[in-house]
Amino acid sequence: MSQAASSKLETIVGAAVIAVAIGFFFYASKTAGVGGSVSGGYTVIAEFDNAEGINVGTDVRLAGIKIGTVTGQSLNAENFMARLELTLDPKVSLSDDTAAKVTSEGLLGGKFIALEPGGSETKLAQGSMMTLTQGAVDIWSLISSAMFDKAKTPAAPEPAPQ
C-alpha cells in the first residue's frame, strides 16, 4: 500500500471514530437527562442552610418523578444560606406552602431536591420564594456524634440492693 493510500485510510478511520464519539455523547446526554432544563417552565427560589451535593442540573422531583431542574445557585450574603433557582414544569402547579428538601437516592446515591406539596390555595408563581426548606443532612457528623456522645454519657447508677 502506498504512503498516500495509508494516510487516506487513517484519516477515514479517525473521522469515523470521532463521529461515533459525538454520537455517543449526544445519546448519553439525552438518556441521562443532562444538558437541558424544563423548557418553558417557571422559576422559584429556595434557600437552604446546607446544599451540599446540589449543582446546576440537579433534578427536582415530586413523588419520585422529575418535574424540574436546579438552574442556578449562589450564596445569599445577608443570611449565608445557599440560594437555589429551581425551574419547574409549567404543568405542575404547586401551592406556596410546598416544602423542599435536599435528599439522596439511598445511602451512597446522588442528591436531588424533593418537593412535598402543601395544601394552600395560593400557588407558586414565577420568582416566588419557597419558605419551607430542609438542607442536606451530613451523615458522617451524625455517626460521629452518636459514637462520641455515647462515650460522654455517664452510665446510669445501679439500683441499691434491698
Side-chain angles (χ1 to χ4, degrees):
M1 192 183 301
S2 72
Q3 178 86 10
S6 176
S7 177
K8 195 174 201 178
L9 179 63
E10 289 176 1
T11 303
I12 292 171
V13 170
V17 168
I18 290 172
V20 168
I22 290 171
F24 177 75
F25 172 75
F26 282 117
Y27 172 76
S29 68
K30 293 297 180 191
T31 304
V34 176
S37 62
V38 179
S39 61
Y42 62 101
T43 301
V44 296
I45 308 297
E47 291 187 342
F48 297 89
D49 61 347
N50 184 357
E52 182 180 357
I54 302 297
N55 298 307
V56 171
T58 299
D59 288 356
V60 178
R61 300 181 188 172
L62 178 66
I65 306 298
K66 180 179 176 179
I67 63 157
T69 305
V70 176
T71 54
Q73 65 180 23
S74 61
L75 180 68
N76 183 335
E78 294 176 9
N79 59 11
F80 303 109
M81 294 184 71
R83 182 182 179 94
L84 302 180
E85 294 178 15
L86 315 175
T87 300
L88 306 176
D89 188 332
K91 294 179 263 177
V92 180
S93 180
L94 297 169
S95 61
D96 66 349
D97 61 346
T98 296
K101 68 178 180 176
V102 176
T103 189
S104 64
E105 299 169 332
L107 189 59
L108 299 175
K111 297 204 174 177
F112 62 95
I113 304 291
L115 300 180
E116 296 173 5
S120 173
E121 295 293 323
T122 308
K123 301 297 182 187
L124 286 172
Q126 173 68 29
S128 296
M129 175 70 80
M130 297 182 75
T131 56
L132 302 172
T133 62
Q134 178 183 338
V137 176
D138 184 6
I139 190 76
W140 297 114
S141 67
L142 289 175
I143 290 171
S144 67
S145 69
M147 288 174 51
F148 295 117
D149 286 348
K150 280 188 177 181
K152 292 179 185 176
T153 306
E158 292 186 29
Q162 294 184 8

